[in-house]
Amino acid sequence: MNPPPTPAPHPTPIGNAPHTPTQGPLSGPQGGGRRGGPNLTEAPAPRRTAWTAEELMAMDFPTPRWAVPGVICEGVTLLAGPPKVGKSWMSLGLALDIAAGRPAFGRIPAEQGSVLYLALEDTPRRLKSRMEIALGGRPAPAGLTLSIACEPMPAGGTEQISQWLDAHPDARMVVIDVFVKVRGTPAPGVAAYDADYTAMTRIKRVADHYGVAVVLVHHVRKAAAEDFLATVSGTNGLAGAADAVLVLERARARADGVLHVTGRDVDETDYPLAFDPSAGAWSLLDGNAADYQMRDTRSLIIRYLRDYPGTKPKDIAAALNLDAGTVRQNCRRMETDGQLRRNPAGQYWPGDTATAATSDSSDSGDAPAVEPLSLLSLRHSTPDDQGEHQ
C-alpha cells in the first residue's frame, strides 16, 4: 500500500494560539497526514446508495470510534446548556483527559489521541488559568492544541480544521466552543430550519470524512421543556442534523448536575455528575440520575438518606437545617411515590434499596442508626460557579 500523501502547507492557519517559532498554531507532525479534507465546493463523486437486504447483511462495517465511550462518538455532538452551567469546564476537561489518555469524568476509560480545542470566547491568559486548575500540577498533554480564533465555516473554517486533522492522524476529538462563532451568517431569505441544518451539515461532512468526534458547545433556551431536546436553542435543524445531543443541567449554586444523552450511536441515558470548582472537574456519580434531578427538599432528603439510611424525619431536619414539619410531610409523600421506604419505627430508607427492616424489635428511639455528620460534605456543598462563562 502506498504511503499517504504529505499534507499541503497551511496557508490560513487559525491564529492567536500559543505556538512555537517553527510550528503554526494548527500545525503538527508533518510526517504523514491521513488524507486531504473533504471538497466542500464540488459535488461528491457518485457512490452506491442502495443494496438488497441480503447484500447489506453480508457487509462488514468498522466499529464506531469513541472519544468518550458511551457518551461521545465519532460524528457531530451538540453539547448544550445554560450560561455558566459548566459546559466550558466540561469540554476543556474532556479535551485534557483524552489528550493525556486519562479516564473521562474520572471513571470512563478513554483512548489517548490528539485533540483540537477552539476556545473562541477565551483569551490565552484565561485558558492558561483554567488549565492550571484542571491539571492540578500534572504536566500539560502534548496532544492538545488550543486556539482562540477560527474563521466561520463558510469562510474557510472547515478547511482550517481539515488542515489540522491532516497533520494529526491520531486525532480523536475537535471541540468548538462556541458553535455560534463559526456557524456563519445565513443567506437572506433562507428559512431558519434550513439555515440551521445547513450549518450543521458543513461541519458534519468534516467529522464524517475523518471519522473524528466534533463537539459543538451551544446554548439552550430560557424556557423549560419536558423533552430536553426541545430546550436546545435554535430550530430542530440543529438537533436533527447532529449525530448526538448532550444537554447539561445543573441547578444554580448546586454541585450536582445531570447530563442528558441521546443520539444515533449512543443509548439514551441520563448521567448524574458532580462539579468540583477547586479542580475544575466534572465527575460521574453513583446512583440514579433521577435522584439528582429532584428539586428542593426532596432532593436534599433522598441524597441525605443515601449517606445515612434509617434516619427519622426529625433527625433529617436537624442535619439539613430544615423545618421538621416540612421534612415529615415530604417523607410521607415520597413514600407514597415510591421514592422512600419506612419501617414501623418511623425510619426511612431510599426506595430503591433493599426493603427496610420492619421488625417490631427495631429501635423505636429518635436516634438514627448512623450518627449524622453534616450536610456540608464535599458532595453536598454548594460552591459558587467560579466565574465560569459557559
Side-chain angles (χ1 to χ4, degrees):
M1 179 180 297
N2 294 327
T6 300
H10 300 185
T12 54
I14 297 178
N16 298 325
H19 59 282
T20 66
T22 59
Q23 179 174 300
L26 289 191
S27 299
Q30 299 295 307
R34 261 184 293 183
R35 52 187 178 274
N39 192 318
L40 300 173
T41 57
E42 298 179 3
R47 60 189 179 93
R48 187 175 181 183
T49 59
W51 302 264
T52 66
E54 185 178 29
E55 288 174 333
L56 194 59
M57 292 302 296
M59 295 174 67
D60 292 321
F61 297 95
T63 57
R65 298 177 71 236
W66 291 90
V68 180
V71 182
I72 300 176
C73 191
E74 65 179 70
V76 174
T77 294
L78 202 62
L79 171 58
K84 295 182 174 60
V85 74
K87 301 187 301 295
S88 289
W89 280 113
M90 177 177 289
S91 54
L92 177 60
L94 292 175
L96 288 166
D97 288 341
I98 293 169
R102 292 192 301 266
F105 297 120
R107 298 178 58 176
I108 304 176
E111 186 175 339
Q112 191 275 335
S114 294
V115 178
L116 172 62
Y117 184 80
L118 302 179
L120 304 181
E121 293 187 328
D122 275 317
T123 63
R125 177 180 296 177
R126 186 181 299 136
L127 275 176
K128 179 182 178 182
S129 175
R130 288 189 173 213
M131 283 199 297
E132 286 176 341
I133 294 173
L135 288 170
R138 296 186 298 261
L144 175 59
T145 300
L146 302 106
S147 181
I148 61 170
C150 180
E151 295 294 331
M153 294 295 120
T158 49
E159 287 80 3
Q160 292 175 342
I161 294 172
S162 294
Q163 289 167 4
W164 184 87
L165 289 168
D166 283 332
H168 295 80
D170 67 328
R172 301 200 72 82
M173 188 170 72
V174 174
V175 178
I176 302 178
D177 184 5
V178 293
F179 178 51
V180 69
K181 290 284 189 177
V182 299
R183 62 165 295 166
T185 303
V190 176
Y193 178 94
D194 294 335
D196 283 345
Y197 199 93
T198 299
M200 292 290 289
T201 299
R202 182 171 286 272
I203 189 62
K204 179 169 166 54
R205 289 176 65 181
V206 175
D208 291 346
H209 181 82
Y210 289 94
V212 69
V214 176
V215 177
L216 307 176
V217 179
H218 191 54
H219 298 291
V220 294
R221 297 187 179 98
K222 291 183 178 179
E226 185 174 346
D227 183 357
F228 69 87
L229 282 177
T231 66
V232 176
S233 180
T235 71
N236 289 335
L238 294 178
D243 294 294
V245 178
L246 314 181
V247 175
L248 180 60
E249 188 178 82
R250 175 166 68 99
R252 187 64 55 213
R254 292 281 181 86
D256 296 337
V258 176
L259 185 66
H260 305 281
V261 178
T262 190
R264 299 185 177 102
D265 293 313
V266 298
D267 295 330
E268 186 165 321
T269 312
D270 292 337
Y271 291 97
L273 302 172
F275 181 66
D276 180 0
S278 66
W282 284 95
S283 57
L284 194 62
L285 293 172
D286 293 322
N288 301 320
D291 294 349
Y292 302 93
Q293 289 176 280
M294 296 180 191
R295 294 293 183 260
D296 304 323
T297 304
R298 286 198 181 198
S299 176
L300 295 173
I301 290 171
I302 190 71
R303 290 156 59 190
Y304 183 84
L305 285 174
R306 286 198 176 280
D307 289 341
Y308 306 106
T311 306
K312 291 189 173 184
K314 184 176 76 171
D315 300 296
I316 297 173
L320 301 181
N321 196 25
L322 296 173
D323 178 77
T326 300
V327 172
R328 231 179 352 257
Q329 184 181 54
N330 274 273
C331 285
R332 286 196 296 266
R333 290 176 177 174
M334 292 171 74
E335 181 186 9
T336 301
D337 294 342
Q339 294 170 347
L340 297 182
R341 295 178 184 272
R342 181 177 63 93
N343 70 1
Q347 297 167 303
Y348 283 87
W349 282 258
D352 58 352
T353 61
T355 303
T358 57
S359 169
D360 289 339
S361 62
S362 297
D363 183 7
S364 59
D366 288 338
V370 180
E371 181 66 20
L373 301 176
S374 168
L375 173 66
L376 300 179
S377 62
L378 175 62
R379 177 171 161 184
H380 293 148
S381 61
T382 56
D384 292 332
D385 208 2
Q386 301 292 308
E388 201 277 317
H389 74 281
Q390 284 299 325

